[in-house]
Amino acid sequence: MRFSSTRDFQRALERALRRAGVPMAYSGGFHPHPKISYANAAPTGTASEAEFFEISLTRRVDPAAVAAALDQALPPGIDILEAVEAEPGALADRLQGSVWQLTFRDLDDAAAAEVDRALAALLAADVAEVTRMTKTGPRTFDTRSAVVRAATTDGGRQVELVLRHTTPAVRPDDVLNAMRTLAPSLPVDPPLTVRIVQGLLDEDSAEVRDPLA
């Protein structure tokens, strides 16, 4: 599922909402659309266990019943874990940080040690800039300020990142590119990247808490 785009997910969700008989509210005008708010979607090529969206309904329903019906209607690989009544305010305001897990495959001990060295160099830097192509052209920004916490496990074969949500958003591949700038011999094969959690960021503890709690 990591190769499905945000638009693929949106189409699958809209079809599932119709199949599940969810009483969706629609926008007005000549081309009405279901009122769905998406926030901070994971980039294509990464897997995620923590995506959120908000839907507007025409009547009050049991959130657990909606979750069960949607889960049945969605294709394999997209699972509804929880549904709650929306709180006042924007959903995006409660998604302040993410925990990412990056797993490098088939590394020997020397390459794993290079991952350790590259991450240590990143954490020691005050600024680590990268340039990414955007819709409006190339954009250069700092990745270091978005890294709240980072550590390697399994002898350097796995990296856990806690990233603060910023504008522009700093993605795990941006952090990897910054690490490669500081340590050019970092393994070139992209790791398997999974978002484990996203939600409210506690700056003091560097923990990310459930935004629906």
Side-chain angles (χ1 to χ4, degrees):
M1 291 305 298
R2 68 183 183 275
F3 295 115
S4 60
S5 69
T6 301
R7 188 68 193 111
D8 293 331
F9 169 70
Q10 291 172 353
R11 281 193 291 262
L13 177 63
E14 289 177 17
R15 291 179 184 133
L17 287 165
R18 290 194 293 271
R19 289 192 195 105
V22 177
M24 288 297 303
Y26 282 77
S27 62
F30 290 104
H31 301 286
H33 296 283
K35 290 186 176 181
I36 308 173
S37 174
Y38 302 95
N40 199 45
T44 303
T46 64
S48 179
E49 298 175 3
E51 298 302 293
F52 294 86
F53 61 89
E54 193 170 71
I55 57 178
S56 296
L57 308 181
T58 56
R59 56 183 172 82
R60 188 177 296 275
V61 296
D62 175 21
V66 171
L70 261 185
D71 200 40
Q72 283 285 101
L74 282 164
I78 303 178
D79 301 301
I80 301 296
L81 303 181
E82 187 180 7
V84 301
E85 274 199 39
E87 297 288 337
L91 172 62
D93 291 342
R94 297 194 294 280
L95 302 180
Q96 302 165 348
S98 291
V99 179
W100 295 91
Q101 189 179 79
L102 287 63
T103 303
F104 293 87
R105 295 159 289 176
D106 304 323
L107 294 191
D108 59 22
D109 290 344
E114 195 62 21
V115 174
D116 263 327
R117 191 175 77 81
L119 184 60
L122 175 72
L123 294 177
D126 294 325
V127 176
E129 289 187 334
V130 297
T131 300
R132 187 206 304 158
M133 184 61 69
T134 68
K135 293 179 181 178
T136 57
R139 184 168 185 178
T140 300
F141 52 92
D142 176 38
T143 62
R144 179 62 187 89
S145 59
V147 179
V148 181
R149 176 168 54 84
T152 57
T153 58
D154 193 20
R157 291 171 175 81
Q158 193 169 81
V159 175
E160 183 176 282
L161 292 172
V162 178
L163 295 181
R164 182 184 295 107
H165 294 174
T166 58
T167 304
V170 173
R171 308 181 310 206
D173 58 307
D174 296 322
V175 175
L176 279 176
N177 287 335
M179 290 168 63
R180 286 195 177 96
T181 300
L182 296 166
S185 54
L186 190 72
V188 295
D189 287 343
L192 293 174
T193 302
V194 183
R195 173 150 55 193
I196 306 298
V197 182
Q198 70 168 323
L200 296 161
L201 177 63
D202 186 324
E203 295 278 359
D204 294 330
S205 65
E207 298 293 329
V208 178
R209 295 183 280 113
D210 183 0
L212 304 184

